[in-house]
Amino acid sequence: MPHCVMTAVAVDPAARAELWQGLKQGLLAGMALLTLVLPPGTGGGPTLREVASQGPAAVFSIIERQLDFGRVVPSADARRLAGWIVGAADNGEHPFAIIDKAAARVYLFQPSGRLLAASPVLLGFARGDDSVAGIGLRPIAEVRPNERTTPAGRYVAHPGRNAQNDDVLWIDYDTAVSMHRVRLTEPSEQRLARLASPSPRDNRISYGCINLPGAFFDEHFWPLFGAGKSVVYILPETKPLAAVFPAAAAVAAGA
């Protein structure tokens, strides 16, 4: 059995079609309004009718995207990855998170690329960028210390609940990797002290899940990421960036 049990979050095709139809009707209504207030030939771009006929991807591209870390200074690899995500609109219309394992930090972004918040996190005990095959089906007591990794990669994530009925963001259900509030079930692990430590090496304690401070989870993370689909990017720590995110590796560090 997996380590946690997920609440079903399957996408309803009928609901998606209904949403798109509503967006399309809204665009066409906007077009009709513009024809009343703008003279013929105004503007050089595509008409709203043309945009509507191109499907949802064209509408999502209307999001004004600009990478904005504010006053936060990320690592070079985190900035490269974020620059590529925003430049390529790789997150679609969804919020996204970047987890920098080397720094033991998470960065939360709005769909446009503006940083919402950042925080230290707890990560898998073992360094490594891959999950052991079948690990999600093992009893947690049988997961050896060297197998407790947080895998690197790009993940389409969904909110749900685990076996303890806690709110979690499922990153990879098959390997039982999720983001959730820090758990204080074992006092000897000193998880709160690890979150407060200035050394990222102290933040390696979990079985692979990403633990967030409780207040940060409730105030910044769950209101946005608990509302629907998101994209989570986890930077590698033993592999080069190009091995996991080749397009991002080509983005200049100062971009």
Side-chain angles (χ1 to χ4, degrees), residues 9-204:
V9 290
V11 177
D12 184 351
R16 184 176 180 86
E18 183 178 352
L19 172 62
W20 167 236
Q21 185 61 30
L23 288 171
K24 184 174 180 179
Q25 290 175 354
L27 284 169
L28 293 177
M31 178 190 70
L33 178 61
L34 286 175
T35 60
L36 296 177
V37 299
L38 295 178
T42 299
T47 66
L48 288 172
R49 184 182 297 276
E50 290 170 341
V51 171
S53 69
Q54 294 173 22
V59 177
F60 298 149
S61 68
I62 294 174
I63 295 174
E64 184 176 348
R65 302 173 190 270
Q66 182 175 358
L67 178 60
D68 181 7
F69 271 97
R71 297 183 179 181
V72 174
V73 181
S75 68
D77 279 351
R79 182 172 289 279
R80 286 190 187 99
L81 180 57
W84 169 73
I85 294 167
V86 174
D90 185 74
N91 60 306
E93 79 277 24
H94 307 295
F96 65 96
I98 294 176
I99 297 168
D100 187 342
K101 290 195 289 180
R105 293 187 67 82
V106 63
Y107 303 95
L108 309 180
F109 292 88
Q110 294 179 343
S112 64
R114 186 175 74 85
L115 182 69
L116 175 67
S119 172
V121 292
L122 300 181
L123 301 165
F125 176 80
R127 282 170 49 84
D129 294 321
D130 298 293
S131 292
V132 176
I135 197 167
L137 300 176
R138 285 199 222 162
I140 197 167
E142 295 181 8
V143 179
R144 294 185 289 271
N146 67 303
E147 297 175 329
R148 301 173 188 174
T149 58
T150 298
R154 178 190 187 275
Y155 300 91
V156 176
H158 298 272
R161 291 184 178 272
N162 61 12
Q164 291 75 40
N165 204 34
D166 296 326
D167 295 325
V168 301
L169 184 73
W170 287 105
I171 294 175
D172 186 352
Y173 181 68
D174 290 340
T175 59
V177 176
S178 67
M179 298 176 72
H180 54 72
R181 297 177 186 88
V182 61
R183 293 176 184 153
L184 307 177
T185 54
E186 181 52 64
S188 64
E189 292 179 342
Q190 299 183 320
R191 295 199 176 201
L192 292 182
R194 290 175 181 275
L195 280 169
S197 171
S199 173
R201 291 178 295 181
D202 292 334
N203 294 47
R204 312 307 293 257

